[in-house]
Amino acid sequence: MNIKKDFSSITWKNNSTPVSTEYGDVYFSADNGIQESQYVFIDSNDLAIRFSDANSFYIAETGFGTGLNLALACKLWSSISRPESTLFFTSFEKHPLSLNDIRKAANNWPELEFFYSQFLPAYSNLKPGNNTLELNKLRTVINIIIGDINDTITSLTDSFFDCWFLDGFAPSVNPQMWTDTVISNVARSAKPKSTFSTFTAAGDVRRALVKHGFNVGKKTGFGKKREMIFGTFTGS
């Protein structure tokens, strides 16, 4: 069984930025996708510090999209983590981009070409459910989970992840990515003192995270975004 019929339908803004026709939202900032991802997800979870002394590290992400967050995490991990350590990266995606669309998006970031070259060859073979890819050159194991996150997230192991990237389309256009089912399972699968970050500062998301045991802080968002939120899991 393949997933071709479920590929995301997109248009291109300025022939470089993919826009979901279903949700009417961009996959990354048209101003600077790398700087946005770095600011919101890499820096807001203090990954440069945390990667440097970790024997292993577990990241989970809601919304694989173009794979930009993965590529940046792999680049950082490869540059500063211990030689014997392994990064584990789990990502949920209901409607994956086609291989050609991801390649076109990745053309925006020639500095990440090596990292995309490591996982894109296996990307075209994705199937519904779990897809485990071992990237030995990057000391990274990826699990891309294809399907509705409200169904698939319940299979996660308790107290497993060090960090969550909450990167679905905006709650106003894709509320199914931000349900209580999703947030409660994000909390259930988080280790003590696990962190999260997200581009949104929507009140419903903030309250749900607090309800399920996260301390939540706000700071200035990237670019034109007024605010974003981040925080730490302290238990329900």
Side-chain angles (χ1 to χ4, degrees), residues 69-112:
N69 294 336
L70 168 63
L72 286 177
C74 284
K75 181 179 180 181
L76 180 63
W77 183 259
S78 298
S79 66
I80 66 172
S81 65
R82 297 171 178 172
E84 70 279 7
S85 61
T86 303
L87 175 65
F88 296 87
F89 193 101
T90 297
S91 188
F92 293 85
E93 182 60 65
K94 185 176 182 180
H95 297 299
L97 288 168
S98 72
L99 180 61
N100 286 339
D101 285 338
I102 284 196
R103 282 177 170 158
K104 182 173 179 177
N107 286 337
N108 287 286
W109 314 301
E111 61 267 54
L112 297 177

Side-chain angles (χ1 to χ4, degrees), residues 39-54:
Y39 178 83
V40 174
F41 299 108
I42 305 299
D43 295 344
S44 297
N45 287 286
D46 295 322
L47 295 188
I49 295 172
R50 298 167 74 191
F51 279 3
S52 63
D53 62 355

Side-chain angles (χ1 to χ4, degrees), residues 12 16-18 25-34 36-37 66 68 105-106 108-109 169:
W12 292 89
S16 61
T17 305
D25 204 356
V26 295
Y27 280 81
F28 52 82
S29 168
D31 296 326
N32 193 309
I34 282 185
E36 176 188 46
S37 182
T66 63
L68 176 57
N108 287 286
W109 314 301
F169 289 121

Side-chain angles (χ1 to χ4, degrees), residues 18-231:
V19 181
S20 170
T21 57
E22 181 174 1
Y23 301 108
D25 204 356
V26 295
Y27 280 81
F28 52 82
S29 168
D31 296 326
N32 193 309
I34 282 185
Q35 287 184 8
E36 176 188 46
S37 182
Q38 182 75 35
Y39 178 83
V40 174
F41 299 108
I42 305 299
D43 295 344
S44 297
N45 287 286
D46 295 322
L47 295 188
I49 295 172
R50 298 167 74 191
F51 279 3
S52 63
D53 62 355
N55 291 320
S56 61
F57 200 89
Y58 292 79
I59 296 175
E61 171 187 58
T62 58
F64 183 76
T66 63
L68 176 57
N69 294 336
L70 168 63
L72 286 177
C74 284
K75 181 179 180 181
L76 180 63
W77 183 259
S78 298
S79 66
I80 66 172
S81 65
R82 297 171 178 172
E84 70 279 7
S85 61
T86 303
L87 175 65
F88 296 87
F89 193 101
T90 297
S91 188
F92 293 85
E93 182 60 65
K94 185 176 182 180
H95 297 299
L97 288 168
S98 72
L99 180 61
N100 286 339
D101 285 338
I102 284 196
R103 282 177 170 158
K104 182 173 179 177
N107 286 337
N108 287 286
W109 314 301
E111 61 267 54
L112 297 177
E113 180 179 1
F114 173 74
F115 303 94
Y116 274 94
S117 73
Q118 297 304 298
F119 68 80
L120 283 185
Y123 183 87
S124 59
N125 296 320
L126 294 183
K127 63 185 187 303
N130 294 327
N131 298 267
T132 301
L133 315 175
E134 295 188 13
L135 309 181
N136 293 328
K137 290 184 179 180
L138 301 179
R139 293 181 283 109
T140 299
V141 178
I142 306 168
N143 185 20
I144 303 176
I145 303 174
I146 303 298
D148 188 326
I149 192 172
N150 289 275
D151 299 326
T152 56
I153 197 171
T154 58
S155 66
L156 292 180
T157 302
D158 292 355
S159 303
F160 195 69
F161 292 105
D162 298 290
C163 172
W164 270 93
F165 296 165
L166 302 183
D167 194 22
F169 289 121
S172 59
V173 299
N174 188 20
Q176 289 303 305
M177 185 67 93
W178 304 91
T179 64
D180 193 72
T181 295
V182 172
I183 301 300
S184 65
N185 280 281
V186 167
R188 180 184 59 80
S189 67
K191 292 178 181 177
K193 298 184 179 180
S194 172
T195 63
F196 83 91
S197 63
T198 176
F199 62 89
T200 187
D204 288 347
V205 173
R206 192 168 66 251
R207 287 186 289 271
L209 287 161
V210 171
K211 170 186 171 183
H212 290 291
F214 286 91
N215 283 337
V216 178
K218 282 187 194 178
K219 67 178 183 178
T220 302
F222 177 82
K224 298 176 182 178
K225 298 269 188 181
R226 188 165 63 90
E227 294 177 321
M228 62 162 282
I229 57 176
F230 64 102

